Amino acid sequence: MTRFSGVTPSGNATLGNYLGAIRRWASEGRPGDLYFVSDLHGMTSAYNPQRLRVLARELLANLVASGIEPDQVFVQSDLLPQLGALTWILECTCSFGEAARMTQFKEKSNRRELEATPVRVSLFTYPVLMAADILLQGADEVPVGEDQAQHVELARTLARRFNGAYGDAFVVPRAVTPPAGARIMDLADPSRKMDKSARDAAGVLFVMDEPDLLRRKIRRAVTDGLGRLEYRPAEQPGLANLLEILAACTGKPVRETAGGFGSYGELKEAVTEAVIEELRPVRERTQELLADTAELDRIRARGAALASERGAHRLAAARRLAGVG
Ligand code: AQP
């Protein structure tokens, strides 16, 4: 059984990425599971090549520093020749109408048209690349949120169609709902998800932020004037977000975390200490890995070799069955 999850280097990893995904991958991952840094997915809109390279490397280091087995991690672009080939084969299996139905494409392309920014063809074809990511590795379970479930459904359709038309090459994957975890909100605007590519980072806690910076951002977190220290997400979203962060860091049920504080200031102090201590080992280990270029290169090359080896026979079979190998 292989579960497959990725994180896109569209910004530095946030506390949301860490508590909502990476920490769980490290603690609950099974030996066959795979995690990848989806840097090719970060190219579907305007980006800076140098920054993409640096972010992909830092995210890889974050994943390993968080305790994920290095052998289970790879950077997507290291498999570019294989993924490019498989994407083409799958594009020749996918109808235009199927790709055009993708809700995420419709939403993102509408937004870009409104902003008068060009819509890249890759934004349209990226779900097929995602299918190639999944099918190349033979993943059977892909934990995704609602916004990505349609893409996994497409991967499933393409795998079935190819297997039916040409012969069995692919494991048919399925989308699974990830276990409910903390959804961390922006400290400056608790109605928005804490996002690594947010335009304003004042309310975003990054895994690599130094303790002083974390302290300043948490001190400025938006709360309310009610002065009630209770967990009431609808009425007090800012306070509820702080309580959820504290609960996720301390392992206590969120409803129990509100007790024992005399003021919002005291709560913020406790959140600050908990976040600093939660992130400290990951930040320090990431820094060590980034400083040890040879070690990080070795981890990356090994992850790439293993992932490429894992996919090679599927790509070879797909090429042979499709009449091009
Ligand atoms: N705020 C969050 N709280 C809890 N979990 C979160 N995740 C992201 N933000 C939070 C989880 O982190 C994993 C990797 O995320 P991703 O990089 O693939 O996607 P994203 O962060 O949701 O990024 P988007 O939507 O592509 O926007 P950008 O790149 O602009 O930030 C996922 O498991 C996600 O649930």
Side-chain angles (χ1 to χ4, degrees):
M1 189 70 87
T2 295
R3 238 183 235 182
F4 192 54
S5 300
V7 54
T8 305
S10 47
N12 302 88
T14 68
L15 180 72
N17 294 129
Y18 181 70
L19 295 177
I22 300 172
R23 187 179 71 168
R24 229 186 28 238
W25 296 344
S27 65
E28 296 169 13
R30 299 162 306 184
D33 294 348
L34 287 173
Y35 304 95
F36 75 117
V37 178
S38 46
D39 53 350
L40 300 177
H41 294 186
M43 297 168 65
T44 55
S45 56
Y47 72 96
N48 175 309
Q50 181 51 24
R51 181 168 147 81
L52 182 69
R53 189 189 305 284
V54 169
L55 286 174
R57 200 169 168 78
E58 185 178 293
L59 264 181
L60 173 71
N62 287 151
L63 295 180
V64 174
S66 303
I68 298 176
E69 271 302 310
D71 283 2
Q72 291 177 252
V73 178
F74 67 93
V75 177
Q76 186 188 25
S77 58
D78 291 340
L79 270 58
L80 188 54
Q82 286 176 307
L83 287 172
L86 188 53
T87 300
W88 178 250
I89 291 173
L90 293 174
E91 280 180 11
C92 297
T93 314
C94 181
S95 74
F96 179 83
E98 279 168 330
R101 268 201 294 281
M102 295 296 118
T103 312
Q104 206 185 64
F105 171 73
K106 288 191 214 163
E107 285 173 4
K108 287 195 175 173
S109 56
N110 282 344
R111 219 178 305 146
R112 286 190 197 153
E113 269 163 12
L114 286 175
E115 292 163 356
T117 33
V119 178
R120 298 185 174 188
V121 173
S122 57
L123 185 68
F124 185 70
T125 56
Y126 131 82
V128 186
L129 170 62
M130 185 170 155
D133 292 326
I134 298 168
L135 300 186
L136 186 67
Q137 298 304 322
D140 17 41
E141 288 187 355
V142 188
V144 282
E146 249 170 65
D147 57 332
Q148 292 282 339
Q150 199 185 20
H151 295 167
V152 180
E153 201 47 47
L154 181 70
R156 196 176 159 76
T157 303
L158 299 184
R160 280 217 189 104
R161 184 173 302 146
F162 186 97
N163 290 349
Y166 303 119
D168 274 348
F170 300 120
V171 174
V172 179
R174 62 190 182 95
V176 294
T177 313
R183 185 157 193 266
I184 308 299
M185 310 308 278
D186 192 297
L187 299 188
D189 176 0
S191 67
R192 276 192 317 168
K193 186 184 81 154
M194 188 179 281
D195 209 343
K196 57 180 138 54
S197 58
R199 283 211 181 120
D200 179 2
V204 181
L205 303 176
F206 293 105
V207 171
M208 298 305 286
D209 280 349
E210 293 289 336
D212 269 354
L213 185 53
L214 293 171
R215 192 167 283 122
R216 280 203 301 277
K217 288 180 181 172
I218 297 172
R219 199 177 297 141
R220 281 196 235 109
V222 167
T223 48
D224 53 70
L226 299 175
R228 277 179 69 167
L229 267 155
E230 282 172 42
Y231 178 67
R232 301 192 310 157
E235 295 86 352
Q236 297 173 271
L239 188 73
N241 189 35
L242 290 173
L243 291 170
E244 281 186 30
I245 293 173
L246 185 60
C249 291
T250 57
K252 284 195 194 143
V254 67
R255 284 179 196 285
E256 280 176 27
T257 49
F261 296 111
S263 66
Y264 289 179
E266 265 181 41
L267 169 67
K268 284 183 174 180
E269 198 47 49
V271 173
T272 303
E273 291 319 312
V275 170
I276 289 175
E277 289 321 311
E278 183 69 32
L279 293 182
R280 186 190 303 281
V282 184
R283 180 172 47 87
E284 289 179 353
R285 181 69 188 125
T286 302
Q287 282 165 342
E288 281 168 20
L289 282 167
L290 291 172
D292 190 346
T293 314
E295 171 66 356
L296 193 56
D297 284 347
R298 194 193 58 75
I299 290 174
R300 181 168 173 167
R302 182 164 163 76
L306 289 171
S308 157
E309 227 172 78
R310 211 178 288 118
H313 72 97
R314 275 184 214 99
L315 177 60
R319 286 187 56 172
R320 185 170 33 81
L321 291 164
V324 288

